[in-house]
């Protein structure tokens, strides 16, 4: 009963790779009834592209020749022909004489998680490509205000390498009075605010216009984006114009 209420797939194989135990979660994953699985070779449920490699590794392990991995990620083949990515935690079962009797594994379906991670990486690559060509400083932080992405223009502007910026809190690059505003802004964003903060300040010996706004995943606050534009020359010209008019 405990095996059937477990939230993960539980799978036991004998030393030849045949299924000796499969709980309800595993049956639902593969799309077969328990009686249809017991006694069958596990390798039937490994996609053909990986089948022989997995079989060889298992047989080497059973013979005491291979290296045992207590965690692996591998695909399984369901009754409908769908491939699912499973994160397995494995234990070797041994006989009284120490020989290998089989394996016991618990598996979690991470297919959707991995797809989401892949989409995120693709989005990040597109984002990096887009902001790299921008002629203003761009900084992205996470929800804690820690810098995760920065473009070359900003690095050149402040005279720092990306490694000197990424992983640090964005507030640390501002004077105390601006730090307080940034920290308050983070709190406001976490509470659901969506306002944009615009300010001007001196940075790296230049006068800059700073624009901060939240980054949302649906309605969830996931970070901030800061745009930094050098307005030194613009403000100098404005000052000259005012002096001329005066």
């Amino acid at each position: 009963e405990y095996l059937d209420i477990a939230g993960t797939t539980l799978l036991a194989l004998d030393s030849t790779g045949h299924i000796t135990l499969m709980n309800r979660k595993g049956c639902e994953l593969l799309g077969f009834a328990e009686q249809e699985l017991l006694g069958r070779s596990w390798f039937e449920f490994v996609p053909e592209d990986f089948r022989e490699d997995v079989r060889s590794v298992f047989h080497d392990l059973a013979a005491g020749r291979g290296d045992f991995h207590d965690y692996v990620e591998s695909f399984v083949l369901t009754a409908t022909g769908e491939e699912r990515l499973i994160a397995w935690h494995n234990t070797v079962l041994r006989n009284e004489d120490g020989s290998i009797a089989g394996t016991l594994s618990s598996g979690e379906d991470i297919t959707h998680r991995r797809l989401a991670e892949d989409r995120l990486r693709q989005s990040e690559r597109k984002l990096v490509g887009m902001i790299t060509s921008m002629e203003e400083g761009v900084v992205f932080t996470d929800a804690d205000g820690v810098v995760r992405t920065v473009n070359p223009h900003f690095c050149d502007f402040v005279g720092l390498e990306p490694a000197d910026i990424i992983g640090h809190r964005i507030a640390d690059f501002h004077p105390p009075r601006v730090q307080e505003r940034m920290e308050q802004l983070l709190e406001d964003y976490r509470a659901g605010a969506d306002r944009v903060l615009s300010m001007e300040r001196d940075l790296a010996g230049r006068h800059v216009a700073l624009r901060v706004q939240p980054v949302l995943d649906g309605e969830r606050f996931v970070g901030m984006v800061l745009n930094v534009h050098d307005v030194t020359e613009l403000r100098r010209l404005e000052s000259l114009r005012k002096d001329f008019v005066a």
Side-chain angles (χ1 to χ4, degrees):
E1 183 179 350
Y2 168 76
L3 297 180
D4 284 336
I5 64 174
T8 60
T9 293
L10 296 176
L11 165 69
L13 306 178
D14 64 18
S15 60
T16 64
H18 288 80
I19 300 170
T20 59
L21 178 148
M22 179 72 80
N23 71 340
R24 182 180 301 164
K25 187 73 172 180
C27 293
E28 293 172 353
L29 169 68
L30 294 177
F32 290 95
E34 182 181 11
Q35 61 268 25
E36 295 178 290
L37 294 172
L38 296 180
R40 291 176 65 175
S41 170
W42 172 247
F43 310 113
E44 296 178 35
F45 305 99
V46 177
E48 188 174 354
D49 289 347
F50 313 105
R51 188 171 299 156
E52 290 309 312
D53 288 340
V54 172
R55 191 198 312 270
S56 177
V57 169
F58 184 87
H59 287 163
D60 284 346
L61 173 65
R65 296 190 299 267
D67 294 328
F68 176 71
H69 300 283
D70 58 4
Y71 177 82
V72 296
E73 295 179 4
S74 62
F75 287 96
V76 300
L77 194 62
T78 71
T80 61
E82 182 185 12
E83 295 184 5
R84 308 292 297 179
L85 182 62
I86 311 299
W88 296 104
H89 294 270
N90 307 305
T91 301
V92 172
L93 304 176
R94 296 185 180 275
N95 297 310
E96 291 183 0
D97 62 2
S99 61
I100 294 177
T103 59
L104 177 64
S105 304
S106 65
E108 178 188 3
D109 188 345
I110 60 171
T111 307
H112 292 306
R113 183 200 308 171
R114 185 53 50 82
L115 287 173
E117 291 172 350
D118 289 343
R119 285 196 295 268
L120 179 60
R121 281 192 290 269
Q122 291 174 4
S123 297
E124 288 177 343
R125 285 195 293 269
K126 290 179 180 178
L127 176 63
V128 170
M130 179 180 68
I131 68 173
T132 295
S133 61
M134 295 180 67
E135 295 185 358
E136 64 179 29
V138 182
V139 181
F140 282 89
T141 80
D142 61 18
D144 294 319
V146 176
V147 178
R148 295 305 179 194
T149 305
V150 60
N151 74 339
H153 191 84
F154 182 82
C155 293
D156 292 342
F157 186 72
V158 297
L160 295 173
E161 295 296 324
D164 298 322
I165 304 172
I166 294 173
H168 295 274
R169 292 179 59 80
I170 189 62
D172 295 342
F173 297 95
H174 296 281
R177 63 179 181 82
V178 180
Q179 286 185 15
E180 293 176 4
R181 295 185 68 181
M182 296 295 290
E183 294 294 351
Q184 184 58 55
L185 190 62
L186 268 174
E187 291 300 320
D188 292 345
Y189 285 158
R190 293 191 188 105
D194 60 356
R195 64 188 178 92
V196 175
L197 172 67
S198 297
M199 70 173 82
E200 292 190 12
R201 55 154 299 204
D202 292 329
L203 179 65
R206 309 288 289 176
H207 195 73
V208 300
L210 179 66
R211 178 183 172 90
V212 188
Q213 59 190 42
V215 177
L216 303 177
D217 181 7
E219 297 183 354
R220 184 170 64 95
F221 170 62
V222 296
M224 300 188 299
V225 57
L226 292 83
N227 297 88
V228 182
H229 185 62
D230 185 354
V231 295
T232 306
E233 186 63 16
L234 177 62
R235 296 295 176 260
R236 187 185 71 82
L237 292 175
E238 288 179 347
S239 178
L240 287 175
R241 182 180 62 81
K242 289 178 182 179
D243 291 343
F244 178 78
V245 171

